[in-house]
Amino acid sequence: MAKGEVQSYSTVVCDLLSFLNASPTAFHAVDEAKRRLKDAGFEHVSEREDWKLEVGKKYFFTRNYSTIVAFAIGKRYVPGNGFHIVGAHTDSPCLKLKPVSKVAKGGYLEIGVQTYGGGLWHTWFDRDLTVAGRLIIKEGKDDSISYLHKLIRIEEPIMRIPTLAIHLDRDVKDAFKVNTHSHLVPVLATSIKAELQEVAIENGPVEDGVQGDGKESHGTRNGNMKKHHTTLLQALIDSTSSENSLDNEPGIRMVALFDHEEVGSNSAQGAGSPVMLDALSRITNFFSSSNSQLLEKAIQRSFLVSADMAHALHPNYMDKHEENHQPKLHGGLVIKHNANQRYATNAITSFIFREIAETHNLPVQDFVVRNDMPCGSTIGPILASGVGIRTVDVGAPQLSMHSIREMCAVDDVKHSYEHFKAYFQEFSQLDARISVD
């Protein structure tokens, strides 16, 4: 690898880690995204107010401060043209504090928590933990009282979930069954990379934003590979950063980051809410309210990249992957397929995403879960069915998904950024040459 390439990779990865370290909760992730968007010239608009939009300009709004939608309007945009969207989510499995969280037992002071999402909870034991979230603050006196939300974060570790000594629980190994020959084999490096420091990023805990006015516990090393939003945001920012970058764009480039994906997306700010349709409708109708069919036409001209993560082949559990679909670290973004619509990918949408990769000489992989195993899902099918938008489900390959520490390859962070940026810049021209219906 050339020196310049190493520096480029280092920049992308350091930027990702910076975003992760600033985002211990969904609220903090939105706050960091908001800061970066403002620095890049995006204007904050409120869903509670009238919008004044202009072609060639860039905007964003938040909902509940745990979901954020950013969009850039092409200078050739006319009402009814499509939206080119990359969507992801801000939440991750975590432990959320209960409303009454004080627990006193056996001379110990403990914290009552609820499990959020499908975490690998055994990985939370014997880890340094702390608390982050938001509070509602009352300010002022008498008639001048106001209520504001304030993000909080305790930097130092203050908690731990200790395991029980094996001498007191001889059957503990039966709960977490490990074959000591096949499964207890440390991964040192991938055969593709010789330098250990370039193999992978090890990230902090799986954690999420706080519901209501409460707080959550999380590991003292922040972040989760599902929060790879910096690649999405930076791709949008960089694809619209130059003065003439939107000159020939007839559509609208958008990034949408939703809360509550880990628990089904059924909330006022989840992907199952009207937030996406509201955004598309409000933007379309601002430029023309005379034609009631413009929104429907815009949706059919639109495209969504549902960007989550994907299951990389695990060297100690190779039998868990279908033999012809084994995504590798460093192998580029994974297109995820499922005939039962757990992923929204179809032949046309996968072709579009793959064609962009081929044009830019970017690696791309495919994943199908084994027929004898259940399949996870994403915001893709929710938005595809709820909005009616063409969708492809993709993700960077990773190990230890839903663990308190996850791992992915440095190369795939950069592949993700380059792929998303190319998608924003070239989708309009590519889609104009595709004829299906």
Side-chain angles (χ1 to χ4, degrees):
M1 184 180 295
K3 182 177 180 181
E5 187 178 358
V6 172
Q7 292 173 339
S8 177
Y9 273 49
S10 176
T11 299
V12 172
V13 173
C14 287
D15 189 53
L16 171 62
L17 293 178
S18 174
F19 188 97
L20 295 177
N21 287 330
S23 307
T25 74
F27 303 119
H28 291 81
V30 166
D31 192 63
E32 177 65 10
K34 176 180 174 180
R35 182 190 68 79
R36 293 182 178 218
L37 289 167
K38 279 189 170 182
D39 288 347
F42 283 71
E43 179 184 339
H44 187 186
V45 294
S46 170
E47 288 191 290
R48 295 190 174 196
E49 307 293 339
D50 291 333
W51 289 1
K52 295 181 179 180
L53 308 178
E54 298 179 39
V55 295
K57 297 296 182 65
K58 303 177 287 188
Y59 307 89
F60 73 90
F61 68 87
T62 67
R63 183 176 289 192
N64 189 51
Y65 216 76
S66 58
T67 286
I68 186 166
V69 177
F71 55 96
I73 306 171
K75 291 184 179 180
R76 292 177 53 205
Y77 172 77
V78 295
N81 283 1
F83 294 78
H84 316 149
I85 310 166
V86 179
H89 60 95
T90 57
D91 64 319
S92 300
C94 69
L95 301 177
K96 289 184 179 287
L97 274 62
K98 292 179 178 178
V100 180
S101 58
K102 181 178 179 180
V103 178
K105 292 187 300 185
Y108 292 91
L109 181 62
E110 298 182 307
I111 302 296
V113 296
Q114 305 176 72
T115 57
Y116 175 86
L120 288 175
W121 304 121
H122 64 271
T123 66
W124 283 71
F125 284 76
D126 296 328
R127 299 280 189 180
D128 289 340
L129 302 174
T130 187
V131 174
R134 72 170 174 180
L135 296 174
I136 305 300
I137 306 296
K138 180 179 179 180
E139 294 184 345
K141 295 181 179 179
D142 301 326
D143 295 336
S144 62
I145 291 176
S146 62
Y147 302 91
L148 304 173
H149 81 142
K150 181 179 178 62
L151 302 187
I152 63 168
R153 177 181 183 180
I154 300 174
E155 297 285 350
E156 297 300 319
I158 59 173
M159 301 181 296
R160 176 174 280 240
I161 306 171
T163 51
L164 182 63
I166 192 170
H167 315 84
L168 303 179
D169 185 8
R170 295 292 186 181
D171 298 327
V172 67
K173 294 180 181 179
D174 294 334
F176 177 47
K177 296 181 178 180
V178 177
N179 183 299
T180 55
H181 175 74
S182 302
H183 303 156
L184 204 64
V185 183
V187 174
L188 174 65
T190 55
S191 58
I192 304 174
K193 291 293 179 183
E195 298 85 358
L196 182 61
Q197 68 270 23
E198 294 172 7
V199 172
I201 315 166
E202 184 184 277
N203 287 278
V206 192
E207 26 65 48
D208 175 37
V210 185
Q211 293 176 333
D213 304 334
K215 309 176 188 71
E216 71 175 48
S217 61
H218 64 87
T220 55
R221 293 184 63 197
N222 300 314
N224 169 260
M225 287 316 304
K226 291 204 169 187
K227 291 180 179 169
H228 62 315
H229 309 125
T230 182
T231 60
L232 316 183
L233 287 172
Q234 203 60 45
L236 176 63
I237 289 169
D238 288 352
S239 74
T240 60
S241 59
S242 66
E243 187 175 344
N244 62 350
S245 57
L246 293 172
D247 284 356
N248 297 315
E249 176 58 74
I252 294 176
R253 301 171 186 175
M254 178 180 285
V255 164
L257 309 178
F258 299 93
D259 197 2
H260 294 143
E261 187 271 351
E262 298 291 357
V263 292
S265 297
N266 292 319
S267 69
Q269 55 273 6
S273 76
V275 63
M276 174 62 77
L277 199 55
D278 287 350
L280 304 190
S281 175
R282 194 161 185 174
I283 296 168
T284 301
N285 292 336
F286 174 84
F287 289 97
S288 176
S289 58
S290 60
N291 189 337
S292 61
Q293 297 181 346
L294 284 177
L295 177 60
E296 290 83 352
K297 185 166 71 172
I299 289 172
Q300 294 309 309
R301 292 178 171 179
S302 299
F303 192 90
L304 168 67
V305 178
S306 169
D308 208 312
M309 300 298 287
H311 297 290
L313 177 68
H314 195 305
N316 299 342
Y317 298 85
M318 295 184 64
D319 60 330
K320 296 297 184 180
H321 274 73
E322 205 274 335
E323 60 182 7
N324 291 322
H325 300 87
Q326 301 182 341
K328 306 293 197 305
L329 297 178
H330 313 290
L333 283 173
V334 180
I335 299 177
K336 302 188 286 187
H337 309 258
N338 185 264
N340 295 302
Q341 297 303 297
R342 299 293 289 170
Y343 302 129
T345 306
N346 63 30
I348 302 301
T349 61
S350 62
F351 164 78
I352 290 173
F353 202 70
R354 193 184 305 276
E355 187 70 7
I356 292 171
E358 185 172 326
T359 301
H360 289 265
N361 197 30
L362 292 168
V364 67
Q365 307 179 80
D366 292 281
F367 174 74
V368 175
V369 74
R370 287 173 55 109
N371 287 333
D372 56 356
M373 295 178 64
C375 183
S377 193
T378 69
I379 62 171
I382 295 170
L383 291 170
S385 60
V387 179
I389 188 171
R390 292 174 294 170
T391 302
V392 62
D393 266 299
V394 306
Q398 73 169 171
L399 297 170
S400 304
M401 188 179 291
H402 284 201
S403 168
I404 197 170
R405 296 200 187 281
E406 298 179 320
M407 189 165 67
C408 85
V410 168
D411 303 87
D412 295 321
V413 177
K414 191 164 187 290
H415 292 150
S416 299
Y417 162 76
E418 292 174 341
H419 209 144
F420 296 142
K421 183 180 178 182
Y423 159 70
F424 281 130
Q425 293 174 326
E426 299 184 12
F427 173 77
S428 294
Q429 293 80 6
L430 175 60
D431 190 48
R433 300 194 295 269
I434 298 173
S435 178
V436 178
D437 295 313

